[in-house]
């Protein structure tokens, strides 16, 4: 149903505190070994106009430039996936995965 690197509109509400809200485009980060066997996927929301910060990966999607918010990754049920919107280029996905390795390897 989903593949790593695809962009899906994901219904992120309800939210709490500083979490990302609303239905947003998110990049699927989880590997097929996870999301092919479970009802959940790991996603990173994308936003335009967001403040740059460590571990926010630049992304261009559908002609818009923004950031993939790796500080806001979430595991969501597949029922939250509204519709597929496309996919990010391989270089962007690889940069995000490298940043996640750096975040979690230390």
């Amino acid at each position: 149903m989903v593949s790593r690197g695809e962009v899906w509109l994901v219904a992120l509400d309800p939210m709490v505190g500083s979490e990302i809200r609303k239905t947003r485009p998110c990049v699927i980060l989880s590997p097929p070994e996870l999301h092919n066997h479970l009802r959940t996927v790991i996603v990173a929301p994308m936003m335009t106009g967001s403040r740059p910060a460590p571990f926010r990966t630049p992304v261009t999607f559908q002609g818009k430039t923004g950031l993939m918010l790796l500080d806001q990754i979430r595991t969501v049920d597949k029922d939250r996936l509204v519709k597929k919107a496309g996919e990010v280029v391989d270089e962007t996905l690889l940069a995000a995965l490298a940043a996640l390795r750096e975040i979690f390897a230390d």
Side-chain angles (χ1 to χ4, degrees):
M1 175 184 169
V2 299
S3 294
R4 180 182 258 180
E6 289 180 344
V7 177
W8 281 74
L9 294 179
V10 180
L12 297 173
D13 282 332
M15 54 70 69
V16 175
S18 297
E19 295 173 349
I20 297 293
R21 68 186 82 212
K22 301 192 300 185
T23 298
R24 297 234 174 245
C26 295
V27 178
I28 305 294
L29 297 175
S30 51
E33 297 83 10
L34 187 143
H35 58 247
N36 285 351
H37 300 284
L38 300 173
R39 290 279 317 141
T40 56
V41 294
I42 300 171
V43 301
M46 297 189 312
M47 288 187 66
T48 59
S50 184
R51 291 185 310 202
F55 305 113
R56 290 188 171 183
T57 303
V59 61
T60 300
F61 182 71
Q62 294 182 341
K64 296 180 182 176
T65 301
L67 296 168
M68 188 184 318
L69 307 182
L70 299 178
D71 56 304
Q72 292 275 342
I73 60 172
R74 291 177 62 172
T75 300
V76 298
D77 191 278
K78 289 177 183 172
D79 286 343
R80 288 185 177 268
L81 303 179
V82 177
K83 76 174 189 174
K84 183 179 172 184
E87 57 189 62
V88 295
V89 297
D90 289 342
E91 293 80 12
T92 300
L93 178 61
L94 292 174
L97 294 175
L100 288 171
R101 278 191 295 278
E102 189 174 331
I103 291 169
F104 291 110
D106 290 336

